[in-house]
Amino acid sequence: MKLVSWNVNGIRACVNKGFYDYVKEVDADIFCIQESKVQAGQIDLTIDESYEQYWNYAEKKGYSGTAVFTKKKPLSVRYGMEEDYEPEGRIITLEFDHFYLVTVYTPNAKRDLSRLDYRLEWEDRFRQYLLELDQAKPVIVCGDLNVAHQDIDLKNPKSNHGNSGFTEEERGKMTELQEAGFIDSFRALYPDKTDSYTWWSYMAKVRERNIGWRIDYFLLSSRLKDQVREASIDAHIMGSDHCPVCLEIDM
């Protein structure tokens, strides 16, 4: 089974920058996007008809939002965590026979860290949500988690220490999630691989020089570790300030 996750930073813009070509090329069984930035009815995404589409829209226009396109019909679909509702459209959970698939767009702490406290509280609720799912079936989590976990996960760790996405608090929450039983599929296969990033600033020449951060992930219940065949980063794919990440797994 092949899964793909991509923060498209606005799906309407991304479809004009090769989105359809990539969907066709990668031919994923499940394709997840984050930061769709649309409301219901604002786009008719005419991808392969073999895909079922599930969208979670943010209440705020032009903000956040997630979607999942899947060739296999899920047993159930849930939006959000506690109340099947997520006002910022950040979470979709699909239940399949042998696993749960959760796509997520984790809240950004903001440059001035004004949303850090909310982010940390949200992280605790999200971890608990995943643990509850994991009691029933293994879980695959994908999306933009808005944190570079270790120094190896960004080009300039020293100068970015304490900045949004690389605070000790945010990194600590990722550590807690992994200690709770969720592995980082990419690092499980490539623990020492450097210069592997999924997001780059729009500043001039930053992407060309590969001055990036790895903040997009496939995490999975640790008992799925031996079923992972490949975890990769399609850094050559443009169309967004993020690139797609991929997981191949025997399910």
Side-chain angles (χ1 to χ4, degrees):
M1 175 176 278
K2 188 171 190 178
L3 301 90
V4 172
S5 177
W6 191 7
N7 179 323
V8 294
N9 193 15
I11 186 60
R12 287 176 293 181
C14 196
V15 296
N16 295 319
K17 300 176 182 178
F19 178 79
Y20 288 126
D21 292 337
Y22 179 68
V23 171
K24 183 178 180 179
E25 170 194 329
V26 75
D27 192 28
D29 297 288
I30 303 175
F31 196 115
C32 303
I33 66 170
Q34 303 85 43
E35 215 170 352
S36 57
K37 295 184 176 180
V38 291
Q39 312 301 123
Q42 285 190 316
I43 187 170
D44 179 15
L45 204 63
T46 53
I47 60 175
D48 190 317
E49 62 183 16
S50 63
Y51 285 104
E52 300 259 352
Q53 298 189 26
Y54 300 94
W55 295 78
N56 195 1
Y57 307 104
E59 291 179 352
K60 181 179 177 182
K61 291 184 178 180
Y63 180 74
S64 190
T66 49
V68 180
F69 317 120
T70 175
K71 291 183 178 180
K72 181 174 176 58
K73 187 176 180 64
L75 301 175
S76 66
V77 182
R78 184 173 183 175
Y79 303 92
M81 288 186 271
E82 297 92 340
E83 299 176 356
D84 198 20
Y85 171 68
E86 170 60 61
E88 296 185 351
R90 294 185 177 278
I91 300 170
I92 305 176
T93 303
L94 273 61
E95 178 187 5
F96 296 99
D97 290 334
H98 302 296
F99 69 101
Y100 287 101
L101 183 281
V102 180
T103 193
V104 61
Y105 177 41
T106 299
N108 192 304
K110 291 193 173 181
R111 184 181 294 272
D112 63 358
L113 303 182
S114 60
R115 220 179 184 205
L116 180 59
D117 288 344
Y118 171 76
R119 157 78 179 260
L120 299 178
E121 182 270 335
W122 188 96
E123 292 264 21
D124 289 338
R125 287 190 289 119
F126 185 59
R127 184 176 64 256
Q128 184 59 41
Y129 175 65
L130 297 180
L131 288 171
E132 290 171 2
L133 293 177
D134 190 56
Q135 290 178 1
K137 297 178 183 181
V139 181
I140 298 175
V141 186
C142 68
D144 176 1
L145 273 62
N146 259 317
V147 62
H149 187 212
Q150 304 292 348
D151 286 2
I152 196 175
D153 294 317
L154 71 168
K155 189 69 171 182
N156 297 313
K158 288 185 178 179
S159 60
N160 281 293
H161 188 269
N163 288 343
S164 177
F166 201 57
T167 63
E168 290 296 326
E169 293 89 344
E170 291 165 302
R171 297 167 68 191
K173 291 302 179 186
M174 174 62 86
T175 298
E176 288 182 42
L177 185 56
Q178 293 188 18
E179 289 178 345
F182 295 92
I183 65 170
D184 176 348
S185 60
F186 183 80
R187 282 289 167 232
L189 294 180
Y190 306 107
D192 303 314
K193 191 170 184 179
T194 60
D195 300 317
S196 300
Y197 308 125
T198 66
W199 174 80
W200 302 263
S201 163
Y202 278 129
M203 293 175 63
K205 303 295 183 180
V206 164
R207 189 158 184 172
E208 291 87 336
R209 294 160 59 197
N210 198 26
I211 303 173
W213 298 47
R214 190 176 72 93
I215 60 176
D216 301 85
Y217 297 80
F218 270 98
L219 305 179
L220 54 149
S221 299
S222 57
R223 61 190 183 277
L224 295 176
K225 181 178 180 179
D226 292 340
Q227 294 166 235
V228 174
R229 292 196 300 175
E230 180 61 286
S232 57
I233 298 172
D234 280 349
H236 65 289
I237 298 298
M238 311 302 282
S240 169
D241 52 346
H242 295 249
C243 74
V245 293
C246 308
L247 177 71
E248 295 180 44
I249 186 168
D250 294 321
M251 296 300 295

